[in-house]
Amino acid sequence: MRGGLGAWAAAHLPELAALEARWAKGAAGDTLAHGDLRADNVLLTADGRVVLVDWPHAVRAAAWFDLLVMLPCVRAQGGPDPEEVFTAHPLGRAADRDAVTAALAALTGYFLRGSLKPAPPGLPTLRPFQRVQGEAALAWLRRRL
């Protein structure tokens, strides 16, 4: 594993960086997005409601952005194939394919880069969690490319 990225990612790094550079423009929009949806930020109440918590990364983004951000975590925890879920969802079907792929490249880079850093004090599981999400996102990205 070269540089902790894996052989495929290391071999395609210039192309992935160029793709990632386009993510912000493609993911722009006017929808309030959580920006960090994952299992530990979703609470299910006793009366059947879903409550999203921990909003420090809230942004205005494309309507499909939170769906994209959530799916690598779902996959890393044994869930279904992200591409199948994304393209079956109305927001995913309506999304610009190139914009989604660029945002996915950025998300993949974010997770994999983060996973290579030292663990912050008191959060020893953060880097391994980022790693499994990064690997899930990378597998999804490879499928899209």
Side-chain angles (χ1 to χ4, degrees):
M1 184 176 292
R2 189 174 136 207
L5 294 177
W8 184 88
H12 293 86
L13 202 52
E15 297 91 351
L16 293 172
L19 179 60
E20 179 179 348
R22 301 192 310 261
W23 86 269
K25 182 178 179 185
D30 289 325
T31 300
L32 175 62
H34 184 280
D36 192 24
L37 279 185
R38 55 180 201 264
D40 60 333
N41 287 338
V42 178
L43 300 178
L44 305 176
T45 67
D47 62 355
R49 292 181 299 127
V50 176
V51 179
L52 305 180
V53 299
D54 194 12
W55 285 76
H57 305 290
V59 294
R60 286 179 24 197
W64 49 262
F65 187 73
D66 271 340
L67 178 62
L68 175 104
V69 168
M70 180 184 66
L71 289 174
C73 181
V74 170
R75 181 63 168 180
Q77 294 178 321
D81 179 87
E83 182 70 11
E84 291 177 14
V85 174
F86 191 84
T87 57
H89 193 283
L91 294 174
R93 281 194 307 272
D96 176 89
R97 180 172 175 77
D98 292 337
V100 170
T101 304
L104 180 57
L107 183 66
T108 302
Y110 170 79
F111 285 139
L112 292 178
R113 254 188 322 272
S115 76
L116 299 174
K117 296 177 183 178
L123 293 172
T125 60
L126 176 62
R127 301 310 181 204
F129 186 59
Q130 288 175 322
R131 185 66 191 195
V132 297
Q133 288 182 96
E135 290 171 354
L138 181 61
W140 183 14
L141 179 62
R142 286 184 68 172
R143 179 174 177 185
R144 290 186 70 86
L145 295 175

